[in-house]
Amino acid sequence: SSLLVSLFQSCQTGVTQWVAACSGLLQTTTVQGQCRRMLYGIFQRRKAGQFRLSKTCGGLIQANGAITLQNRSFHNTNKHLSAKDSLQPSEEKVGAFTRIIEAMGFTGPLKYSRWKIKVAALRMYTCCVEKTDYEEFFNRCQMPDTLNSWFLVAQLHVWMCLVRMKQEGRTGKYMCRYIVHCMWEDVEQRGKVMGINSVVLKEDLRSMVENFYAALFGYDEGILSDDHVLAAALWRNLFNRNCDDPRHLELLVEYVRKQVQHLDALNGEDLLLTGEVSWRPLVESNAHSILKPLSPVYNDEGL
């Protein structure tokens, strides 16, 4: 009988624990159900609010002349993209590895081989030196026939080539670096041929480097601005602030504008492979004679 009593008590204890557990479970389930209903109500109200907001915004969008399609809003504007607003070759996308090695000072993969680019850069600089009538510049602009005057005229033409080649992406920028390298090599060799003392030549080269990059900044500002700003840049850099005749500035402003327009008409691929550049004369016999030049002929090696 004692065994039956203990068995009955253990069963009673188990039933009590089971009832308590079920009560807790029911309470938990009730609370969870209440939370679920509350969250569902919030979601429905938020969804309804978003629907009303989308209807309101849709009305505003339609009133402002936009087009709503597949939950995306596209603003309808009357502004048309020009050639300058489009994606330029200088904005070409490169990979992360290329950006890393270029940040370290190395050159990433280019469109053409470095050898071809260097040969084309040397040719382009040669065109700046050999195809420019320096004597006409000295006579018409009343400039002294010195190495510094020659350098000032040469750097003006080099700058115009740099402006053109920077439009050809990373390959064009690499070509710009080598054009400048060729210029400094040529200036140093000319100074040695003229018998300039090495110490004096070194000081002159340091001064020329400083003036060159200052001139690049001034010319860039001038070509992007009006003729007054460009004339001021030419007066500071080309004439060394020593020009009393405004007709000389007017002539040079016209010369720079037409040369930049002339270079823009040249094919970028031909420039990267050949570097051949022609120049308009300082004084045009016919102002309407600026036509698109013929494309040069080159072989597979870029020669």
Side-chain angles (χ1 to χ4, degrees), residues 31-92:
V31 172
Q32 290 180 351
Q34 292 176 353
C35 293
R36 188 181 297 109
R37 286 193 297 271
M38 182 176 64
L39 292 176
Y40 181 75
I42 294 174
F43 173 75
Q44 291 294 332
R45 289 193 296 272
R46 183 178 180 184
K47 184 176 180 181
Q50 288 181 348
F51 178 73
R52 289 193 297 269
L53 180 61
S54 62
K55 289 183 64 178
T56 306
C57 293
L60 293 175
I61 289 173
Q62 293 178 359
N64 288 327
I67 303 173
T68 303
L69 180 62
Q70 295 180 356
N71 296 329
R72 297 181 181 179
S73 298
F74 302 91
H75 186 67
N76 187 13
T77 177
N78 294 325
K79 179 181 178 182
H80 299 282
L81 292 177
S82 61
K84 295 182 179 180
D85 297 328
S86 59
L87 184 63
Q88 297 294 331
S90 58
E91 301 174 2
E92 57 182 322

Side-chain angles (χ1 to χ4, degrees), residues 13-29:
T13 304
V15 171
T16 304
Q17 293 177 353
W18 180 80
V19 171
C22 290
S23 301
L25 181 62
L26 289 175
Q27 291 176 1
T28 304
T29 306

Side-chain angles (χ1 to χ4, degrees), residues 156 159-160 163 215-239 248-260:
L156 177 65
W159 164 74
M160 289 187 285
V163 170
L216 292 186
F217 181 80
Y219 289 149
D220 287 342
E221 182 184 14
I223 200 64
L224 295 174
S225 305
D226 56 12
D227 291 345
H228 297 85
V229 181
L230 180 58
L234 291 168
W235 178 74
R236 291 191 309 269
N237 300 290
L238 184 65
F239 292 99
H248 296 162
L249 287 174
E250 181 183 5
L251 178 64
L252 265 299
V253 168
E254 179 185 356
Y255 178 77
V256 171
R257 294 290 187 190
K258 71 180 179 183
Q259 292 293 3
V260 172

Side-chain angles (χ1 to χ4, degrees), residues 108-167:
L110 301 175
K111 190 174 184 180
Y112 302 106
S113 67
R114 293 176 177 82
W115 181 82
K116 290 183 179 181
I117 299 301
K118 290 181 178 180
V119 171
L122 179 58
R123 285 180 176 174
M124 183 168 290
Y125 174 73
T126 304
C127 292
C128 295
V129 176
E130 296 183 353
K131 293 186 178 182
T132 303
D133 193 347
Y134 289 88
E135 185 176 357
E136 184 180 12
F137 271 88
F138 297 159
N139 294 333
R140 290 189 175 273
C141 300
Q142 297 180 358
M143 301 175 64
D145 190 359
T146 61
L147 176 63
N148 186 59
S149 297
W150 169 88
F151 172 73
L152 294 176
V153 177
Q155 80 170 1
L156 177 65
H157 291 79
V158 168
W159 164 74
M160 289 187 285
C161 290
L162 298 182
V163 170
R164 178 61 184 88
M165 297 315 300
K166 286 180 180 178
Q167 303 176 27

Side-chain angles (χ1 to χ4, degrees), residues 136 140 250-263 278-291:
E136 184 180 12
R140 290 189 175 273
E250 181 183 5
L251 178 64
L252 265 299
V253 168
E254 179 185 356
Y255 178 77
V256 171
R257 294 290 187 190
K258 71 180 179 183
Q259 292 293 3
V260 172
Q261 180 182 2
H262 174 70
L263 293 177
S278 59
W279 302 101
R280 304 296 306 178
L282 181 60
V283 179
E284 293 284 348
S285 58
N286 181 12
H288 299 284
S289 62
I290 303 179
L291 301 176

